Amino acid sequence: MSNSTTPTVGTSEKPANDAPAFVKNDFIRQIVREDLAEGRQSAIRTRFPPEPNGYLHIGHAKAICLDFGVAAEFGGWCNLRLDDTNPAKEDPEYVEAIQDDVRWLGFDWHSLRHASDYFDVLYLAAEKLVKQGDAFICDLSAEEVRAYRGTLTEPGRNSPYRERSAEENMDLFRRMRAGEFADGARTLRAKIDMASGNMNLRDPALYRIKHVEHQNTGDKWPVYPMYDFAHSLSDAIEGVTHSLCTLEFEDHRPLYDWCVDKVDLAHSPELLKPLTDKGFPLEAGKPRQIEFSRLNFNYLVMSKRKLMALVQEHLVDGWDDPRMPTLQGIRRRGYTPSALRLMVDRVGISKQNSLLDISILEGALRDDLDAHAQRRMGVVDPLKLVITNLPEDHEEQLDFHNHPKDESAGTRKVPFAHELWIEREDFAEVPPPGFKRLTVGGDVRLRGAGIAHCDEAVKDADGNVVEIRCTLDLQSRPGMEGANRKVKGTIHWVSAKHAVAAEIRLYDRLFTVADPDEDDASGKTYKDYLNPESRKVVTGYVEPSAAQAAAETGFQFERIGYFVADRYDHTTDKPVFNRSVTLRDTWSK
Ligand code: ATP
Ligand code: MG
């Protein structure tokens, strides 16, 4: 087995039934396997703990796939825990969206929890530390605490309040809890080591005074637990075995372990009484924190703060704008849950933070849609093509396969008639070298309908080509003797009479530079690098069966790209399609 920091994407192992299978084998799954094999754990329990202060983004998808995926693969469970230790307003809008996003990705939680469900237990746990002499009440101001903390190269100094008696500390802590003191007047601090090389162990605060209402607990608490204390003990309360989090918490792990060990919930049923009295199902245990690298892509910004700014400054149309890296945004863009899971599998789990190329994300979407999306024809920049040797009322239904590689996707009827829409760029008056499509005097195959010979390009008064007149070689239609006649190009089309006018939103990357997040010397920020071409709205035409699709149906519009019927705006009368991704990566050139 490779060592624990080696990024391992997966190996192909042959299971007993001889069917090939992809067995994920990253360092976290190796740890989990060993913990089970060696009896350190009898079941695997994880949690996904978002702070409900914004929408989830692509980075969270990695954490979700890992937390829920590991639990499912090893027959365990995963809780969804809303980390609401900040008594800021938890917007029900975020809470709803988080649940929607997790389900959409294909996962379901064992139990929905809030960190605030545990405030009573956390308070009793803090009293236990006070009693044990492991925590003290400190009267230093925030500024003084900073001055005493020392630096990375210099040890800190003990707080002058560090040697208070357990009795005095308990009295003060209870009075803090009773609301006697002003915000910031005192803190409860762990008594660990002011000389520790790890700043997080220099007597970190465990509780602070904040006279603020909490969305779940109202005005019950004038004191609130700090993140490390609340997070480690919430994991222990729920019986989480493997607490998976991102690398920035690596330096917090010693504090996490300290809290878990000193409080020892697994052997302290009296602390859990507030929950057991309420009939709360508990499986308190000793969790283990394991860190993995954050997911970051170029051409994106992924911090909630920056995404919030884009929304609030109306630089995008909201959290679910299809250009946003939020799960709500990319869902609307046409990303599928399976494309995201594929991306997460390809990226793998490691301990190396890196900025990945966006083509990994887009490539996973292309591969997923190539395999699963049905094909349709749609024209985004229409030019009229008239078939002069068919009567004006000519109308027929042609059979088309819905997927070139998947028979089971079936076939559909596509109407064909005297007048068609073709793509403007598929005609050239003066063809550039290598041009294989339509030009006056040339031939092109109309996909599935035979070979057309262009006789004439009709122009308006300004000299713009407004109509192409062609003769269809009736012997070249599929099944006819001339069907195999060689022509250089094939173009797509829709019947002008039958096609449905559609709003087509051509989305592209939101930023023009690979590293919009980088602070640069010129003082520019990510907001200065927004791509003005990131959305173009045009009116095109789609074949009837595309218009009739349900919202959120994804298609490949042949030769154009992958599109999705907009989740909110699409109707069969007024179809709206969003471009999810182009057929090929046009940025890499
Ligand atoms: P942001 O920095 O974008 O605001 P956050 O870390 O504050 O994100 P939380 O809601 O606290 O967001 O995150 C919930 C979980 O998702 C945490 O376990 C966190 O480690 C994980 N997570 C957040 N961002 C990423 C990312 N880019 N890649 C992988 N996991 C992530
Ligand atoms: Mg966070």
Side-chain angles (χ1 to χ4, degrees):
M1 255 181 204
S2 51
N3 81 54
S4 68
T5 58
T6 308
T8 322
V9 176
T11 55
S12 222
E13 286 177 12
K14 280 214 158 173
N17 67 5
D18 233 33
F22 182 78
V23 177
K24 291 174 197 159
N25 196 27
D26 51 73
F27 79 94
I28 289 181
R29 286 168 169 96
Q30 288 174 21
I31 291 172
V32 167
R33 257 186 212 108
E34 280 165 22
D35 283 350
L36 285 171
E38 283 158 34
R40 279 189 293 274
Q41 301 291 352
S42 57
I44 299 304
R45 306 186 195 113
T46 59
R47 86 288 167 267
F48 173 62
E51 192 177 345
N53 60 351
Y55 282 77
L56 299 182
H57 51 59
I58 297 170
H60 292 112
K62 176 177 178 180
I64 293 170
C65 288
L66 186 63
D67 291 326
F68 285 91
V70 163
E73 283 155 46
F74 294 93
W77 54 245
C78 180
N79 280 347
L80 174 58
R81 185 197 313 142
L82 299 165
D83 170 23
D84 58 353
T85 46
N86 253 328
K89 186 125 185 58
E90 166 180 320
D91 202 317
E93 178 191 342
Y94 301 140
V95 176
E96 274 304 305
I98 287 170
Q99 297 181 55
D100 190 36
D101 288 338
V102 172
R103 288 211 185 89
W104 174 71
L105 271 175
F107 300 105
D108 205 356
W109 45 91
H110 172 68
S111 187
L112 177 70
R113 302 289 178 93
H114 290 80
S116 58
D117 294 338
Y118 309 138
F119 281 175
D120 288 302
V121 174
L122 298 179
Y123 177 78
L124 291 179
E127 282 203 348
K128 175 174 177 175
L129 295 183
V130 170
K131 236 176 270 166
Q132 287 173 180
D134 286 318
F136 66 100
I137 300 295
C138 182
D139 299 356
L140 294 179
S141 67
E143 207 172 307
E144 288 164 330
V145 167
R146 254 193 304 281
Y148 273 78
R149 186 176 294 137
T151 65
L152 284 173
T153 49
E154 277 170 50
R157 285 173 292 141
N158 283 348
S159 159
Y161 304 98
R162 201 176 197 264
E163 297 313 322
R164 276 176 162 152
S165 68
E167 291 69 31
E168 189 186 359
N169 281 322
M170 187 63 86
D171 173 61
L172 286 170
F173 189 45
R174 289 187 172 158
R175 287 165 62 195
M176 262 170 74
R177 194 260 167 275
E180 279 188 34
F181 310 122
D183 286 7
R186 298 192 152 91
T187 50
L188 177 73
R189 294 175 67 181
K191 202 189 269 190
I192 309 181
D193 179 7
M194 289 305 292
S196 172
N198 183 334
M199 302 292 278
N200 293 306
L201 295 182
R202 294 188 185 175
D203 294 3
L206 302 177
Y207 260 90
R208 60 183 161 164
I209 303 173
K210 234 183 182 196
H211 293 265
V212 179
E213 274 210 16
H214 186 281
Q215 57 279 6
N216 265 1
T217 57
D219 58 8
K220 179 174 173 188
W221 298 95
V223 291
Y224 290 97
M226 301 300 286
Y227 175 83
D228 291 294
F229 187 65
H231 187 242
S232 55
L233 294 185
S234 299
D235 284 345
I237 290 169
E238 292 175 16
V240 164
T241 54
H242 298 80
S243 177
L244 312 178
C245 63
T246 34
L247 275 178
E248 71 272 22
F249 294 104
E250 196 165 27
D251 286 348
H252 294 241
R253 190 180 345 126
L255 178 55
Y256 180 104
D257 290 339
W258 186 91
C259 294
V260 169
D261 291 339
K262 290 290 180 186
V263 174
D264 194 18
L265 279 171
H267 302 101
S268 318
E270 71 285 0
L271 301 182
L272 296 165
K273 234 176 141 319
L275 290 169
T276 43
D277 282 355
K278 281 194 241 160
F280 230 79
L282 294 176
E283 318 185 42
K286 183 170 160 49
R288 167 175 182 187
Q289 176 179 303
I290 306 171
E291 310 84 17
F292 61 93
S293 61
R294 287 178 87 84
L295 184 63
N296 282 305
F297 284 111
N298 60 12
Y299 291 101
L300 291 181
V301 298
M302 211 116 83
S303 97
K304 281 187 209 153
R305 188 175 54 77
K306 288 178 180 163
L307 297 177
M308 178 80 82
L310 292 175
V311 172
Q312 286 178 343
E313 294 168 34
H314 303 288
L315 298 169
V316 293
D317 291 336
W319 288 100
D320 59 1
D321 185 306
R323 294 167 293 180
M324 289 281 274
T326 52
L327 296 182
Q328 296 279 324
I330 59 166
R331 172 176 180 177
R332 210 171 160 192
R333 177 77 168 259
Y335 273 78
T336 53
S338 47
L340 284 172
R341 293 192 303 256
L342 178 63
M343 176 277 290
V344 170
D345 286 348
R346 285 181 178 173
V347 165
I349 304 294
S350 80
K351 273 188 175 286
Q352 269 81 49
N353 269 330
S354 63
L355 187 63
L356 298 174
D357 197 274
I358 187 88
S359 63
I360 297 175
L361 178 67
E362 295 172 347
L365 180 62
R366 270 191 204 101
D367 292 348
D368 182 65
L369 293 177
D370 179 43
H372 301 116
Q374 293 198 1
R375 276 40 173 180
R376 292 292 184 270
M377 291 198 287
V379 170
V380 300
D381 186 10
L383 174 64
K384 181 72 66 71
L385 182 150
V386 178
I387 299 190
T388 51
N389 60 331
L390 287 178
E392 267 178 40
D393 61 354
H394 177 87
E395 224 175 273
E396 63 188 307
Q397 300 286 333
L398 304 178
D399 279 315
F400 271 68
H401 283 283
N402 286 327
H403 196 285
K405 288 171 262 180
D406 181 6
E407 280 290 322
S408 71
T411 61
R412 69 183 187 284
K413 301 280 184 200
V414 179
F416 179 79
H418 170 68
E419 285 189 358
L420 309 176
W421 293 115
I422 64 163
E423 212 67 64
R424 184 166 290 277
E425 65 170 28
D426 283 338
F427 173 80
E429 251 191 306
V430 184
F435 190 76
K436 296 195 178 101
R437 293 161 283 167
L438 207 52
T439 182
V440 177
D443 286 354
V444 82
R445 188 181 302 277
L446 298 173
R447 168 106 168 85
I451 296 168
H453 178 80
C454 177
D455 303 302
E456 186 189 357
V458 180
K459 294 184 183 175
D460 65 9
D462 299 328
N464 301 311
V465 174
V466 291
E467 186 178 301
I468 304 295
R469 298 179 73 81
C470 291
T471 319
L472 188 67
D473 173 359
L474 298 171
Q475 294 309 313
S476 69
R477 310 199 72 188
M480 309 291 283
E481 62 196 58
N484 294 328
R485 174 153 73 89
K486 286 237 166 352
V487 291
K488 286 205 189 109
T490 300
I491 64 172
H492 62 276
W493 49 270
V494 292
S495 157
K497 183 164 153 190
H498 302 89
V500 184
E503 178 175 325
I504 298 187
R505 301 172 179 165
L506 300 169
Y507 290 110
D508 203 342
R509 292 176 189 171
L510 186 55
F511 295 98
T512 51
V513 295
D515 52 357
D517 243 348
E518 205 94 308
D519 292 323
D520 74 20
S522 64
K524 286 189 172 173
T525 73
Y526 61 102
K527 293 178 209 164
D528 297 305
Y529 297 108
L530 287 165
N531 177 7
E533 308 267 282
S534 62
R535 181 182 56 192
K536 272 187 276 184
V537 181
V538 299
T539 301
Y541 291 98
V542 298
E543 60 170 281
S545 71
Q548 282 150 18
E552 297 208 89
T553 307
F555 291 121
Q556 183 194 100
F557 285 161
E558 293 194 19
R559 303 181 58 238
I560 301 288
Y562 294 98
F563 289 76
V564 67
D566 188 72
R567 185 179 179 193
Y568 301 116
D569 300 338
H570 173 84
T571 63
T572 51
D573 295 337
K574 285 200 163 73
V576 178
F577 283 97
N578 302 329
R579 181 167 69 197
S580 312
V581 69
T582 50
L583 287 182
R584 274 169 290 277
D585 187 354
T586 51
W587 281 71
S588 56
K589 334 190 209 83

